[in-house]
Amino acid sequence: MAEPADLQAPRYGDDQSAYVLLHVRPSEGAPSAPHSLHSRVLRKSEFFEARLSQRWASPSATSPESDRCFKPLEIMLDTCADAETYIRCIRLFYVANPLKDTTFNDVEDAVGILQVAAEISFP
């Protein structure tokens, strides 16, 4: 039997259960399409915990009517040099074992991901 939806691990980009829209605007170029994310996953990062702490209110689990009208929280990252690296790093929040389930293209790629991880994990 499948777990109830509220107990299942959130999946990256799941528009049906995501409560946060992340807009990533690189320092050069056009912003990417918004990314549908989950507050409980983002809260693994001190950076996102601070962004979510005072403005976040999760929808009521007992009121389906209010959930339909719920507007997701939008967060803008507009100072990143490489938007793709930010998104790849955030996707690591969704894997069960980031060290085991991660592959890098090369050493430079790994260093880029680690730099972003340090930036958004320890502001």
Side-chain angles (χ1 to χ4, degrees):
M1 183 160 63
E3 293 182 51
D6 59 341
L7 297 178
Q8 294 177 359
R11 291 176 299 151
Y12 176 82
D14 181 2
D15 294 339
Q16 300 300 312
S17 64
Y19 302 124
V20 178
L21 288 178
L22 178 68
H23 300 271
V24 180
R25 180 175 292 149
S27 51
E28 295 181 15
S32 67
H35 300 271
S36 300
L37 304 172
H38 301 83
S39 66
R40 77 178 199 199
V41 173
L42 291 176
R43 287 180 186 274
K44 293 177 183 180
S45 156
E46 291 179 17
F47 173 83
F48 287 111
E49 173 67 31
R51 291 267 180 116
L52 295 168
S53 64
Q54 294 181 359
R55 301 183 303 172
W56 183 252
S58 61
S60 168
T62 59
S63 176
E65 287 297 318
S66 65
D67 289 352
R68 285 189 213 134
C69 299
F70 182 72
K71 182 178 178 186
L73 174 65
E74 296 194 42
I75 297 176
M76 173 68 75
L77 290 179
D78 57 2
T79 59
C80 55
D82 182 1
E84 180 61 30
T85 302
Y86 271 77
I87 296 307
R88 287 184 59 215
C89 186
I90 290 168
R91 288 183 75 129
L92 291 175
F93 293 168
Y94 282 84
V95 297
N97 185 344
L99 295 176
K100 179 182 174 191
D101 299 329
T102 303
T103 58
F104 301 105
N105 299 327
D106 53 30
V107 172
E108 186 177 323
D109 182 46
V111 169
I113 294 287
L114 290 171
Q115 286 174 331
V116 170
E119 185 177 323
I120 64 177
S121 295
F122 310 106

